[in-house]
Amino acid sequence: MSDHVNSKLRMPINYFRRITSRHMPRWVVLNIDLAVVSFSFIFSFLVIQNLTQTPVSAKVLFSILPVVVVFRAMAILVTKSYRGIIKYTSSQDAIRIFFAMSMSSLAILVVQQYLLRFHGIHLMPFAVIVMDFAISLAMLTSLRLGYKLLYRQLAKSKYGIKYPTIIYGAGRTGIIAKRSIEADVSSQLKVVAFLDDNRLLVGKSVEGVPIYNFNKKFDFLVDKFAPRELIIAIPELASYKKKKVIELGLQHNLVIKNVPPIDTWINGEFSFKQIKSVKIEDLLGREPISLENKNIKRSVNDKVVLITGAAGSIGSEIAKQCLWYNPSMVILLDQAETPLYELEYQLASEKVELVVANVSNRGRMEQVFKAFRPDVVFHAAAYKHVPLMEENPYEAVTANVFGTRITANLAVKYKAEKFVFVSTDKAVNPTNIMGASKRMAEIYVQSYNNLLSITDDTHTKFITTRFGNVLGSNGSVIPRFQDQIEKGGPITVTHPEITRYFMTIPEACQLVMEAGAMGNGGEIYIFDMGESVKIVDLAKKMIKLSGFREGADIDIVYTGLRPGEKLTEELLSDKESTIGTHHPKIMIAKVKESNYQEVNEVIENLYQIRDKATNRLVVATMKQLVPEFISNNSIYEELDEHVAFLKGNN
């Protein structure tokens, strides 16, 4: 019997849930509002007439009613008070209703005074207008608030328990975040505390939620409320501080989320759905390097810019940043057709020209230089994957060495002002073919610059930039870890002690462009990348940031160093030192200078026998030009052993 009764009770509740799950149509809201104001006027009119004991006929009453309803309807339409979503009613909606009722009541009063003065017609007592205004305002507002409260109550029973949440930042953004969470019943979150470092705010409360000191009360709050999430609501928070907040939250296994910058809010308004998980970039641990935009603008403005490898992570970001500085044209060159096409769609600029070409094809590259005659060349085209190039040394040399030589030679032939070469920290004391090929390219462009500086004062200036791993770049460790986490693991790490330097893509590209602006030719620019990061620590933090637990949800598996891979990367070799620049974070590496004729002869000999050369011969030639290239975990270690044996006998 009780089950039968409960099922009958659940029927209207479920029906109401289905109705409230959809937004009520505006025409329905408008008609309900008009019905309410009609009832209010009739009730007010009858009450006042009864109190004054003035007899009134139904004919008089219903002849005045249409006039009142028309004025109310016009005011409702003008203020758009009927257009708000009822279940999300806010103070703004109440204000609109107030203005609608005030405007229409004032209009009714003006009309009545006009008719009384010029025609001697008295529509109704003044008390009716006042009472009607008060009742209409109260009923329209109460109906909306009542609907909202009922919706929330039923939604709570549907979505279940609310999980405690802490917001870091009790300022304007934090308050907006709290309100958005409360307004969205599907969020399943309840803000129980604010954290802040501002002493003027600590100890107070915001809308009933207390504000605590972050440094002193964090552990206390975690023990007291057992929160599920920590939301960072200070968009301009310094990187080192953000890292501290995130890492402290991760230690307590909290899900860390972030309120995006205000300029990214949709139409200037914020919603709960915009709160996103923090990115691994937020744990980089240092302030982003800010460079001189004036220098970059001066070097790019009204210039023809050629970007090779434009479809890659670095090349595409250079293209985006170039367009900020008003070049006359940007030529995007890559052999990857589809990514190049997608980049054009993203940029959507009339100044962009696409070229599908391979930098190692001299004839095709000659056509490009002859047609466009670029003023500035950013050479980012390269093969970069270490294990893959270890198995394909011919391709590594063809793209990274021959391609660079062809592009550099054409830049000189067609009188480009600057040639900026994008290198890597793997070129320092290389242990793999990819790094050695990039070091060969470094040696070539630098020796070429030295030769030209002697013979030509107006020569093309060759500049090299050298930096570490780029967060989120194509094929890098971050996207791979994210993919493994999404698949449920395991995360594969080659070695528990392996470390790398990291920077963001925008930072890397700013460095490349700043180098092009400030370089006078022959420099290899490096910069302070902060502390190197253990890859396994990165993996552990990514697991926590994804809301999982290491071991319980996602495992980490060590697979061993890959061919050519080393435990730590370097920005300088033992024989290199640095000199400072105008920017404290940017330095110039002082490297051993090479003779252009000797360098070019080695590369040319390899180029001439490229179709007949074995992998062993290619690698042996690379070691000849880059004597510090010592293979690691590779089949080519035997070449180093052979050289060591010969030296020992001599």
Side-chain angles (χ1 to χ4, degrees):
M1 181 68 180
S2 60
D3 290 340
H4 178 68
V5 173
N6 288 335
S7 65
K8 283 190 172 183
L9 290 173
R10 282 195 295 269
M11 286 176 63
I13 294 175
N14 292 333
Y15 176 75
F16 185 80
R17 281 178 178 165
R18 287 196 299 272
I19 294 298
T20 55
S21 65
R22 300 184 295 271
H23 298 324
M24 189 177 294
R26 292 172 181 173
W27 66 268
V28 174
V29 178
L30 178 59
N31 280 292
I32 292 174
D33 286 351
L34 295 179
V36 168
V37 298
S38 298
F39 169 79
S40 172
F41 175 74
I42 294 171
F43 179 79
S44 301
F45 195 94
L46 293 176
V47 168
I48 297 300
Q49 292 294 340
N50 184 56
L51 291 175
T52 58
Q53 297 183 348
T54 304
V56 62
S57 66
K59 183 178 180 180
V60 173
L61 174 59
F62 288 104
S63 64
I64 301 173
L65 178 61
V67 177
V68 174
V69 172
V70 167
F71 278 110
R72 296 290 195 212
M74 290 173 62
I76 289 171
L77 291 170
V78 169
T79 59
K80 300 179 181 178
S81 62
Y82 70 100
R83 298 182 68 175
I85 300 174
I86 306 300
K87 60 187 178 184
Y88 298 141
T89 294
S90 66
S91 58
Q92 292 296 321
D93 296 302
I95 291 171
R96 290 192 186 98
I97 293 172
F98 173 79
F99 278 118
M101 296 302 101
S102 299
M103 289 167 55
S104 54
S105 295
L106 182 61
I108 293 168
L109 183 60
V110 169
V111 169
Q112 171 157 297
Q113 291 300 107
Y114 173 82
L115 292 175
L116 181 61
R117 182 173 181 180
F118 295 101
H119 300 282
I121 301 174
H122 182 69
L123 292 177
M124 70 194 86
F126 176 73
V128 173
I129 299 176
V130 174
M131 185 175 182
D132 181 31
F133 164 77
I135 293 176
S136 295
L137 178 61
M139 288 186 68
L140 291 176
T141 306
S142 299
L143 280 173
R144 281 165 167 75
L145 290 176
Y147 185 94
K148 176 183 178 180
L149 292 173
L150 183 57
Y151 165 75
R152 284 196 170 189
Q153 195 61 37
L154 292 174
K156 282 183 180 179
S157 65
K158 175 183 177 181
Y159 290 104
I161 190 171
K162 294 283 186 180
Y163 296 100
T165 298
I166 296 174
I167 294 179
Y168 177 76
R172 175 174 173 264
T173 304
I175 296 170
I176 292 173
K178 172 187 174 291
R179 290 172 180 171
S180 70
I181 289 170
E182 293 175 345
D184 193 322
V185 293
S186 65
S187 70
Q188 294 188 279
L189 302 177
K190 179 183 179 181
V191 179
V192 295
F194 281 102
L195 286 168
D196 210 293
D197 297 317
N198 189 336
R199 294 179 180 178
L200 298 176
L201 296 177
V202 172
K204 299 179 181 179
S205 64
V206 176
E207 299 181 352
V209 177
I211 304 172
Y212 296 90
N213 183 286
F214 169 73
N215 295 311
K216 297 179 180 179
K217 293 293 185 178
F218 188 86
D219 293 337
F220 164 76
L221 292 177
V222 171
D223 292 337
K224 180 179 180 180
F225 295 110
R228 169 181 282 194
E229 293 189 5
L230 172 63
I231 297 173
I232 300 174
I234 306 179
E236 69 282 1
L237 188 64
S239 296
Y240 78 92
K241 186 67 177 181
K242 193 169 192 177
K243 179 188 176 186
K244 180 181 178 181
V245 174
I246 293 171
E247 291 193 335
L248 192 56
L250 292 179
Q251 289 175 17
H252 291 279
N253 297 314
L254 301 182
V255 175
I256 316 297
K257 292 190 175 179
N258 200 36
V259 175
I262 294 174
D263 57 8
T264 65
W265 294 2
I266 301 170
N267 297 323
E269 295 184 0
F270 181 74
S271 71
F272 168 73
K273 300 295 190 297
Q274 290 176 272
I275 299 176
K276 303 294 183 183
S277 298
V278 298
K279 298 179 181 179
I280 195 64
E281 288 92 330
D282 295 318
L283 285 166
L284 192 58
R286 58 179 171 79
E287 292 299 315
I289 293 178
S290 178
L291 303 177
E292 294 292 335
N293 291 338
K294 290 182 180 179
N295 289 344
I296 299 173
K297 183 175 182 179
R298 190 163 48 246
S299 67
V300 174
N301 182 49
D302 204 30
K303 301 289 178 67
V304 177
V305 179
L306 169 63
I307 303 170
T308 69
S313 305
I314 298 297
S316 59
E317 181 65 23
I318 291 175
K320 294 172 186 175
Q321 293 193 21
C322 264
L323 289 171
W324 297 346
Y325 301 106
N326 195 34
S328 62
M329 181 182 294
V330 178
I331 300 102
L332 306 179
L333 186 147
D334 206 294
Q335 62 178 337
E337 173 202 12
T338 301
L340 199 60
Y341 176 79
E342 292 174 351
L343 178 60
E344 181 189 36
Y345 177 77
Q346 292 174 19
L347 298 177
S349 173
E350 296 178 354
K351 295 184 177 182
V352 167
E353 188 77 29
L354 299 189
V355 176
V356 179
N358 189 324
V359 292
S360 60
N361 185 332
R362 193 187 190 289
R364 177 64 175 134
M365 292 299 292
E366 175 103 39
Q367 291 176 345
V368 173
F369 273 85
K370 187 174 183 179
F372 297 106
R373 298 184 180 270
D375 301 301
V376 181
V377 178
F378 292 103
H379 183 56
Y383 284 137
K384 64 177 185 177
H385 294 290
V386 170
L388 197 57
M389 292 303 100
E390 206 68 17
E391 298 175 2
N392 299 275
Y394 171 85
E395 295 299 336
V397 170
T398 299
N400 298 355
V401 181
F402 299 156
T404 300
R405 187 176 73 145
I406 288 169
T407 310
N409 290 352
L410 289 170
V412 172
K413 180 177 179 179
Y414 289 93
K415 301 186 183 303
E417 297 172 11
K418 295 283 183 73
F419 181 99
V420 185
F421 173 56
V422 178
S423 188
T424 170
D425 58 359
K426 292 177 176 60
V428 180
N429 294 326
T431 59
N432 53 69
I433 287 164
M434 193 284 283
S437 67
K438 297 293 280 187
R439 179 60 188 143
M440 287 177 71
E442 282 187 3
I443 293 171
Y444 181 81
V445 297
Q446 191 176 39
S447 64
Y448 197 12
N449 185 87
N450 294 341
L451 174 69
L452 293 172
S453 63
I454 298 172
T455 60
D456 184 2
D457 292 337
T458 61
H459 70 92
T460 301
K461 306 297 191 296
F462 287 92
I463 300 109
T464 296
T465 58
R466 186 192 282 174
F467 47 80
N469 293 268
V470 179
L471 285 169
S473 63
N474 295 335
S476 68
V477 68
I478 304 301
R480 180 162 57 85
F481 284 174
Q482 287 173 335
D483 181 62
Q484 290 174 336
I485 290 171
E486 288 172 4
K487 293 177 179 177
I491 285 182
T492 55
V493 178
T494 58
H495 193 282
E497 298 300 321
I498 193 167
T499 63
R500 291 293 181 265
Y501 291 102
F502 285 100
M503 65 189 304
T504 65
I505 292 175
E507 275 186 313
C509 296
Q510 269 200 310
L511 173 65
V512 172
M513 296 186 70
E514 175 74 1
M518 67 190 289
N520 294 313
E523 303 97 339
I524 295 179
Y525 285 99
I526 63 174
F527 82 119
D528 181 1
M529 297 187 65
E531 298 294 325
S532 60
V533 178
K534 262 192 174 184
I535 299 299
V536 66
D537 290 343
L538 202 63
K540 291 177 179 179
K541 288 174 182 177
M542 287 188 67
I543 290 172
K544 287 187 175 182
L545 286 176
S546 301
F548 298 109
R549 294 169 298 167
E550 180 200 347
D553 302 314
I554 304 287
D555 292 322
I556 295 177
V557 176
Y558 298 105
T559 58
L561 289 175
R562 297 172 297 178
E565 193 170 43
K566 56 183 176 180
L567 285 177
T568 60
E569 302 287 8
E570 309 148 276
L571 290 170
L572 292 168
S573 71
D574 295 336
K575 298 179 180 179
E576 295 176 350
S577 58
T578 63
I579 56 176
T581 68
H582 72 279
H583 197 293
K585 296 288 186 178
I586 305 175
M587 297 152 284
I588 300 174
K590 295 179 65 177
V591 301
K592 176 186 174 183
E593 294 187 358
S594 301
N595 181 277
Y596 173 77
Q597 280 80 12
E598 294 175 359
V599 172
N600 189 54
E601 183 180 354
V602 173
I603 295 175
E604 179 61 26
N605 289 339
L606 186 57
Y607 182 77
Q608 292 299 329
I609 63 170
R610 63 190 182 281
D611 294 332
K612 300 177 183 178
T614 62
N615 286 345
R616 183 184 173 88
L617 178 58
V618 170
V619 178
T621 305
M622 297 176 76
K623 290 178 181 292
Q624 176 187 343
L625 189 59
V626 187
E628 67 270 26
F629 171 26
I630 307 297
S631 297
N632 184 44
N633 194 30
S634 169
I635 60 173
Y636 300 110
E637 290 179 35
E638 62 181 31
L639 295 175
D640 302 317
E641 294 170 0
H642 179 66
V643 171
F645 174 77
L646 292 177
K647 287 182 178 179
N649 288 338
N650 290 334

